[in-house]
Amino acid sequence: MNKIWKMLVVVLVITTTACGQQRGGQEGPPALPTAKEIKTMVSDLSKEILLSDEQEAKVLKLYTAHFEEIKEKTSAGRPDRNEMEALKTSLEKEITSILSKDQQTKYASFLKKKPLRKNKM
């Protein structure tokens, strides 16, 4: 009887460890946004920080180019995390450069509230 209990404990530990090693249901990086989703992202940003039509067009162009570049980098496999962070930082700097001081402050708070990339679980 003692051997059976020991065996059950070993099986339980192995099973628990194996289940704990599985990924959280996500295989690979999240899907890239579609053109419609990008327009929605820019529209949300525009409403939040009050972009002019000209600024909104520039930001849309920047977002579209950014996600095209991400698509190119991810098509060959898993990209380097530091490189992806650098691209994100670069995009944020480019967007900030076309904003007024007041909009820059609002943009910084917008990014804290709603990051550019969210994990979709």
Side-chain angles (χ1 to χ4, degrees):
M1 187 70 168
N2 200 11
K3 288 183 180 181
I4 293 173
W5 281 109
K6 287 181 182 178
M7 195 65 132
L8 283 174
V9 169
V10 168
V11 169
L12 180 65
V13 168
I14 291 172
T15 304
T16 304
T17 304
C19 290
Q21 298 300 319
Q22 293 178 355
R23 293 186 77 173
Q26 182 180 352
E27 294 296 323
L32 292 172
T34 63
K36 184 178 178 180
E37 291 171 330
I38 293 171
K39 286 180 183 178
T40 302
M41 291 166 61
V42 173
S43 177
D44 290 348
L45 175 63
S46 180
K47 289 174 189 170
E48 187 80 21
I49 66 173
L50 306 172
L51 295 174
S52 68
D53 290 341
E54 182 182 333
Q55 287 174 317
E56 189 172 347
K58 287 179 182 179
V59 170
L60 179 60
K61 189 174 180 179
L62 288 172
Y63 266 65
T64 303
H66 171 75
F67 286 113
E68 280 298 318
E69 189 170 3
I70 297 290
K71 183 178 180 180
E72 289 174 21
K73 301 233 182 255
T74 57
S75 66
R78 189 177 187 114
D80 178 54
R81 181 182 207 96
N82 293 330
E83 185 178 6
M84 292 292 106
E85 284 295 320
L87 287 174
K88 179 183 165 199
T89 302
S90 173
L91 172 68
E92 291 171 358
K93 284 181 182 178
E94 289 179 50
I95 291 172
T96 302
S97 72
I98 63 172
L99 302 177
S100 69
K101 292 290 182 193
D102 184 47
Q103 288 172 324
Q104 289 175 5
T105 305
K106 290 178 182 178
Y107 181 60
S109 88
F110 177 83
L111 289 177
K112 288 178 186 174
K113 199 168 53 171
K114 192 172 187 173
L116 184 60
R117 278 312 286 165
K118 284 196 250 179
N119 288 334
K120 297 178 183 178
M121 296 250 180

